[in-house]
């Protein structure tokens, strides 16, 4: 992937859950576009440090910061460290997320709380800290025409109900209204907030869905474009939503799903 390293020059980005998958791709793509990047990780410190190493070796700027996005104290400490080391934040990619699947009647309160706390409350906590700094600093026209940008990693399951994954689908539906309400409240201060809704992208979160030929064939029936996505499909969308090229895009969801939300069951008539 190659970008003009000037696209996000002088901008400071934080990507949560960036030690793997879509967060890793987002961090690498943002760095290639010129942003200095915080690679947040939860437990995968070595992986995060290796991504930082690659970015720095490539001439970019990055640091790794560990924090559980579901914990208010940890999030505040992470932002304080970022502001100490990078001075400010211009771009937040609210990416960290997980699944804890169960049939509805077997779903424990712990299964429910874990997914809501990480996927939804984690996005609220990080967005709030980022917005505070955006408001404190305001617009710096030589850096960006926005005071700040937040990109919320949602899912096609913000609109497609998902049996066996009620906690996950609910968290993503919640992200949609969190994102839109924040965007409405903060637009006058020149803060832009949007979501990306990935379809099926090959990462560790969904290995079972694509790693065997049988599973992949079944999955492809749900994807009109005929291929499973790769993490860079999302990284490229993140860079665009973070850049001034998308300055008039606010409070919307960009579906990056190979057409998964086009009701593929109707491809050959109803
Ligand atoms: P992944 O498992 O590779 O990435 C999730 C990351 O979140 C991991 O690095 C994990 O360590 C981190 N994380 C988990 N709990 C955390 C916590 N409490 N604090 C900080 N970090 C934490 O999977 P992925 O596919 O890259 O998922 C990234 C995001 O994309 C998630 O929000 C997921 O719901 C969303 N998504 C993925 C797909 C897909 O097909 N891969 C589709 C739709 C949405």
């Amino acid at each position: 992937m190659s970008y003009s390293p000037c696209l996000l020059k002088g901008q400071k980005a934080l990507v949560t859950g960036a030690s793997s998958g879509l967060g890793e791709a987002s961090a690498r793509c943002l760095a290639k576009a010129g942003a200095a990047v915080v690679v947040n990780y939860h437990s995968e410190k070595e992986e995060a440090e290796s991504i930082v190493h690659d970015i720095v070796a490539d001439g970019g700027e990055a640091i790794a910061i560990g924090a559980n996005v579901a914990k208010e104290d940890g999030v505040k400490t992470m932002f304080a460290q970022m502001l100490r080391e990078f001075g400010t934040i211009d771009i937040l990619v609210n990416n960290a997320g997980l699944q804890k699947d169960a049939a509805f009647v077997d779903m424990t309160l712990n299964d429910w709380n874990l997914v809501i706390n990480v996927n939804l409350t984690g996005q609220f906590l990080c967005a709030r800290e980022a917005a505070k700094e955006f408001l404190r600093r305001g617009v710096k026209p030589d850096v960006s025409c926005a005071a700040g940008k937040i990109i919320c990693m949602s899912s096609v399951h913000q609109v497609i109900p998902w049996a066996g994954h009620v906690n996950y689908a609910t968290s993503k539906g919640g992200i949609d209204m969190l994102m839109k309400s924040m965007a409405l409240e903060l637009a006058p201060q020149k803060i832009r907030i949007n979501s990306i809704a990935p379809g099926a992208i090959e990462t560790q979160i969904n290995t079972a869905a694509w790693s065997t030929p049988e599973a992949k064939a079944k999955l492809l029936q749900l994807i009109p474009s005929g291929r499973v996505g790769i993490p860079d499909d999302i990284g490229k969308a993140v860079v665009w939503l973070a850049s001034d090229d998308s300055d008039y895009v606010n409070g919307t969801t960009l579906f990056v799903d190979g057409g998964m939300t086009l009701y593929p069951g109707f491809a050959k008539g109803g």
Side-chain angles (χ1 to χ4, degrees):
M1 175 60 37
S2 72
Y3 291 108
S4 160
C6 297
L7 192 61
L8 300 176
K9 193 167 180 287
Q11 302 205 40
K12 320 292 180 189
L14 166 60
V15 184
T16 65
S19 56
S20 63
L22 308 187
E24 173 181 354
S26 301
R28 290 183 187 275
C29 288
L30 288 166
K32 284 204 169 86
V37 182
V38 172
V39 175
N40 159 253
Y41 63 91
H42 184 213
S43 52
E44 301 168 330
K45 186 169 188 228
E46 263 178 42
E47 288 82 349
E49 282 173 349
S50 150
I51 294 161
V52 166
H53 178 271
D54 289 352
I55 291 173
V56 172
D58 207 27
E61 197 181 345
I63 55 172
I65 303 182
N68 179 347
V69 297
K71 301 280 181 204
E72 188 172 29
D73 287 354
V75 168
K76 286 188 166 174
T77 305
M78 170 169 68
F79 273 80
Q81 187 181 342
M82 177 175 186
L83 298 195
R84 253 192 335 271
E85 301 207 22
F86 281 177
T88 191
I89 177 169
D90 303 281
I91 300 159
L92 167 67
V93 184
N94 249 341
N95 166 77
L98 44 72
Q99 290 180 213
K100 189 79 174 63
D101 310 330
F104 180 62
V105 291
D106 298 328
M107 188 171 283
T108 64
L109 182 58
N110 281 344
D111 296 338
W112 172 267
N113 283 340
L114 174 68
V115 172
I116 298 296
N117 288 345
V118 173
N119 294 15
L120 184 56
T121 307
Q123 294 216 7
F124 156 68
L125 291 172
C126 292
R128 191 184 59 181
E129 294 314 302
K132 282 185 204 163
E133 172 59 12
F134 298 159
L135 293 173
R136 183 201 65 77
R137 193 204 55 238
V139 178
K140 284 213 162 169
D142 54 325
V143 173
S144 171
C145 49
K149 285 88 52 164
I150 298 175
I151 295 146
C152 299
M153 203 57 74
S154 183
S155 162
V156 289
H157 294 295
Q158 75 171 39
V159 293
I160 302 178
W162 203 10
H165 309 257
V166 162
N167 47 2
Y168 182 84
T170 303
S171 73
K172 297 302 185 180
I175 287 169
D176 185 38
M177 199 45 83
L178 170 69
M179 177 277 291
K180 286 178 181 161
S181 299
M182 292 191 298
L184 180 64
E185 186 166 335
L186 297 168
Q189 281 82 32
K190 297 231 171 277
I191 294 169
R192 285 197 302 116
I193 307 178
N194 293 288
S195 289
I196 292 175
I201 317 290
E202 287 188 9
T203 70
Q204 67 189 13
I205 210 173
N206 56 4
T207 314
W210 51 265
S211 58
T212 65
E214 300 75 36
K216 194 163 192 167
K218 209 167 150 218
L219 180 61
L220 285 174
Q221 290 175 6
L222 299 174
I223 309 173
S225 294
R227 72 169 172 89
V228 180
I230 56 168
D232 265 5
D233 289 321
I234 304 302
K236 287 186 266 190
V238 164
V239 169
W240 181 69
L241 282 176
S243 77
D244 285 351
D245 286 349
S246 60
D247 185 50
Y248 206 50
V249 180
N250 200 2
T252 198
T253 297
L254 178 58
F255 285 80
V256 184
D257 67 352
M260 189 178 255
T261 38
L262 296 175
Y263 298 94
F266 285 80
K268 298 192 171 72

